[in-house]
Amino acid sequence: MQQPISITAISSISPLGTQPEDIWTSYKSESHCFTQKHDALVAKIATDIKKSIKVLRHSNPKYKALDDTVLYAIYASRQAVKNANWKATDNFGINIGSSRGATALFENYHKAFLSKNKAETLTSPTTTLGNISSWVAHDLQTKGPEISHSITCSTALHAMLNGIAWINSGMCDKFLVGGSEAPLTPFTIAQMQALKIYSEAKNNTFPNQALDPNKTQNTMILGEGAAMACLESGEVPNALAKIIGVGYATEILEHNASLSTDAICFQRSMTMALGKLNPDDIDVIVTHTPGTIKGDQAEINAIQKVFCNKIPSLTTNKWKIGHSLGASGLLNIEMALMMLQHKEFISVPYLKVDTPKRIKTILVNAVGFGGNAVSILLSK
């Protein structure tokens, strides 16, 4: 890192809620957020929050045709920018990504095309990948750069990498970064089921067994949500935390969705993020661990390789809110920030993990299909 980058605000919309106090209360509970939809378990945003999204949709005629991924992003971005006290005239940059994009709209438009052999007028502009950042920039009226991308499940943390790079280059002082995902559609769920990684809910108490090395079946469950963070150059007095290290890596593909047994990409990304810092100084790791047998074990193996005999306390939120794909990395960042703020460890109820003696430095991981890993090192 050329210099620390401050996170001055973060906001999210997820099954945990939208307000920090509600999110923290939910994290303190040992109950999960899963319900049935399309004959599968999913983690949905609460009904009252959906009503707020509906109000947002009807607040502007242009917003009526937008996918939920865009509306979730607008909702979370407004609050993040407000919390950071940014103004449109700051001309801050925006980088928001998504793994699946406009899933609901795409499926509906394609269904209509198959029946009519004709596409609806707004099919293309409302399902393109750049749709999210463009509409957020429009809504916030910023004139800074706006970027969109998709790097599967590490999308949101790649957005954070991009924001840091722009700030360190001197081309921008502030960057809004994040991810948004609304994957709870029949076709998207079917894709995960086709990979044989989706939970069949044999364990009704904890149907997603993320981070559990002893599970005997894949237990991934999809969730929806969005999270946005405001980044600023240097150490800012009102910062929630500072980013003191970043790491990224890829590995050679053996399969379209593969990860090597010891997650070489994670070993490299975590080592890069640590830099010259002693691995013993890391208190907590928020893992990516989606609840699959091979994926979870590979990340655990990588952590053991890097940290050897002194493994930091490990935790995850996917047992509670599922895997929100492209948005998951920023929701992990939010979880880490809350632990730093409250100086309290959020444990996984079905795992026995030593509570850290302090919570000062937290490493956050994310990885996408095919071994595209990012690690972000946070300090209070």
Side-chain angles (χ1 to χ4, degrees):
M1 290 285 290
Q2 295 180 17
Q3 61 177 334
I5 299 292
S6 293
I7 302 176
T8 53
I10 192 164
S11 180
S12 69
I13 175 170
S14 78
L16 299 170
T18 60
Q19 300 303 312
E21 56 272 18
D22 295 333
I23 295 168
W24 179 250
T25 299
S26 184
Y27 268 133
K28 297 289 290 178
S29 166
E30 292 192 353
S31 60
H32 61 71
C33 301
F34 303 127
T35 56
Q36 287 281 338
K37 183 177 182 180
H38 303 307
D39 297 322
L41 283 174
V42 298
K44 297 187 293 185
I45 289 170
T47 303
D48 60 328
I49 302 173
K50 284 282 191 178
K51 290 179 180 177
S52 298
I53 295 299
K54 186 176 181 179
V55 171
L56 172 60
R57 181 183 296 280
H58 292 284
S59 67
N60 187 323
K62 296 177 181 177
Y63 293 177
K64 290 182 180 180
L66 299 180
D67 188 75
D68 278 350
T69 51
V70 181
L71 297 176
Y72 293 169
I74 290 174
Y75 187 95
S77 296
R78 283 181 178 181
Q79 191 60 51
V81 168
K82 179 181 178 182
N83 292 346
N85 293 315
W86 288 3
K87 300 178 178 62
T89 52
D90 291 339
N91 291 332
F92 52 88
I94 295 175
N95 189 172
I96 302 169
S98 179
S99 176
R100 310 304 306 178
T103 50
L105 278 187
F106 187 88
E107 290 176 35
N108 290 337
Y109 281 140
H110 189 253
K111 183 179 179 180
F113 172 75
L114 291 178
S115 64
K116 302 176 183 177
N117 200 32
K118 182 179 180 181
E120 299 289 339
T121 304
L122 295 178
T123 301
S124 177
T126 57
T127 60
T128 52
L129 186 58
N131 199 43
I132 301 178
S133 291
S134 296
W135 278 110
V136 170
H138 165 83
D139 186 77
L140 299 177
Q141 293 295 294
T142 179
K143 294 181 177 61
E146 57 98 354
I147 310 165
S148 298
H149 70 263
S150 176
I151 311 178
T152 62
C153 304
S154 55
T155 294
L157 291 196
H158 270 283
M160 184 164 274
L161 290 180
N162 287 343
I164 292 168
W166 275 77
I167 291 172
N168 281 338
S169 74
M171 295 174 68
C172 218
D173 293 327
K174 302 175 180 178
F175 235 89
L176 176 70
V177 300
S180 184
E181 210 74 56
L184 309 186
T185 60
F187 186 52
T188 308
I189 293 171
Q191 290 174 63
M192 300 300 111
Q193 291 172 328
L195 290 170
K196 309 298 182 185
I197 59 176
Y198 213 86
S199 175
E200 295 182 358
K202 301 295 183 183
N203 185 325
N204 292 324
T205 304
F206 301 112
N208 183 311
Q209 296 280 306
L211 197 54
D212 183 356
N214 298 315
K215 58 181 170 289
T216 57
Q217 61 181 3
N218 291 320
T219 63
M220 195 191 86
I221 299 174
L222 286 178
E224 61 180 343
M228 307 296 153
C230 293
L231 307 183
E232 298 187 33
S233 178
E235 297 190 37
V236 180
N238 65 328
L240 302 175
K242 57 185 178 181
I243 300 169
I244 60 172
V246 299
Y248 48 89
T250 56
E251 58 183 62
I252 297 173
L253 294 176
E254 294 182 8
H255 180 271
N256 295 38
S258 68
L259 192 63
S260 59
T261 303
D262 293 328
I264 295 169
C265 58
F266 264 139
Q267 292 184 51
R268 292 171 178 169
S269 69
M270 289 188 291
T271 300
M272 182 187 291
L274 289 172
K276 297 180 180 178
L277 196 68
N278 189 329
D280 292 350
D281 292 334
I282 306 304
D283 305 310
V284 178
I285 301 177
V286 180
T287 62
H288 178 75
T289 53
T292 61
I293 295 173
K294 291 183 178 179
D296 288 17
Q297 190 61 58
E299 185 174 359
I300 292 170
N301 292 345
I303 291 169
Q304 291 172 341
K305 291 277 188 180
V306 173
F307 292 90
C308 300
N309 297 322
K310 189 177 179 183
I311 307 296
S313 298
L314 307 182
T315 190
T316 179
N317 54 22
K318 292 187 179 69
W319 71 270
K320 177 182 280 285
I321 61 173
H323 193 359
S324 55
L325 305 179
S328 63
L330 247 293
L331 289 171
N332 284 354
I333 293 286
E334 179 183 60
M335 182 186 187
L337 291 176
M338 287 194 160
M339 285 190 282
L340 288 171
Q341 176 188 353
H342 293 275
K343 297 181 180 179
E344 187 173 347
F345 182 63
I346 300 172
S347 61
V348 179
Y350 50 80
L351 296 178
K352 293 182 180 179
V353 177
D354 291 335
T355 301
K357 295 180 181 179
R358 63 171 192 179
I359 300 180
K360 183 180 178 182
T361 309
I362 300 179
L363 188 66
V364 179
N365 281 340
V367 68
F369 277 154
N372 197 321
V374 180
S375 299
I376 303 290
L377 187 57
L378 302 175
S379 178
K380 183 61 179 174

